[in-house]
Amino acid sequence: FPKRLSSPDGTPASPLQNPTHTYAVGDYTATVTASDGTQTATDSIAILVNAVVLPAQCTSYTEINDSTRNINNADQIPLPCDDTLVEKWYRFTAPGNTTIPTSPPLMDRCQTDATGWMNFAHPAVAGETRTGNVCYHWGIDCAWSNQIDVTNCSGYYVYKLKPSPTCPLRYCTTN
């Protein structure tokens, strides 16, 4: 876009330093003004907007930023457990990892004994929600399980988690 700009007198404009951009999507025009205010140009542009209306859970969730849930953390005493977790929407954030793994982590990781992982894929499309099982690895890949929902929030996931079936079982995270 800046390569096609012209000064008000019609001569090609030099590259603008520190421009401000104002986009009017309705009439598809853009105004670019240099920081000194001397070079202004208006040109037609094409703006393609792919709007996805995300579900409410993408803005209404509880954050879990617990780095001990990482699949590389060994178990330690006391062993945290998710059996008292309240059923609602959660988002895993830094400094912990941000997604539940989709393959079984080793036992005795995530600072627990039986490690929780999803046995289904994360939704690929923004706004999509999937339902599936979380399995808890203890001797076998799916010694216990419970159902959860996962929503793709266009850049991150939120999970409708339920309490784990017993202790010490815990949802694990990875990147």
Side-chain angles (χ1 to χ4, degrees):
F1 178 72
K3 293 179 182 178
R4 298 186 294 137
L5 291 177
S6 297
S7 298
D9 66 1
T11 60
S14 61
L16 303 176
Q17 293 186 0
N18 301 318
T20 59
H21 302 277
T22 304
Y23 297 102
V25 176
D27 59 7
Y28 301 101
T29 62
T31 303
V32 181
T33 306
S35 59
D36 65 5
T38 59
Q39 293 182 327
T40 304
T42 301
D43 198 359
S44 296
I45 60 170
I47 298 177
L48 178 60
V49 178
N50 289 326
V52 174
V53 177
L54 296 174
Q57 62 263 29
C58 289
T59 56
S60 182
Y61 53 80
T62 299
E63 285 191 25
I64 298 177
N65 61 3
D66 182 359
S67 61
T68 66
R69 291 179 180 275
N70 182 292
I71 60 172
N72 295 316
N73 284 341
D75 66 349
Q76 299 175 10
I77 304 297
L79 295 174
C81 184
D82 285 335
D83 68 333
T84 60
L85 202 64
V86 175
E87 182 176 344
K88 62 181 178 178
W89 289 99
Y90 293 91
R91 178 181 176 190
F92 295 104
T93 60
N97 295 117
T98 58
T99 60
I100 295 177
T102 55
S103 60
L106 297 173
M107 291 183 337
D108 300 322
R109 298 293 178 177
C110 316
Q111 201 169 332
T112 194
D113 284 342
T115 52
W117 62 282
M118 293 181 0
N119 70 352
F120 64 104
H122 285 86
V125 177
E128 177 185 4
T129 299
R130 287 191 180 166
T131 300
N133 285 323
V134 166
C135 287
Y136 298 90
H137 180 191
W138 183 251
I140 59 173
D141 288 348
C142 203
W144 296 271
S145 67
N146 61 275
Q147 197 173 70
I148 67 167
D149 297 325
V150 183
T151 299
N152 180 331
C153 292
S154 189
Y156 61 93
Y157 298 99
V158 293
Y159 303 86
K160 188 171 186 181
L161 303 179
K162 297 177 181 179
S164 62
T166 189
C167 265
L169 281 61
R170 194 170 194 220
Y171 296 101
C172 295
T173 58
T174 189
N175 273 338

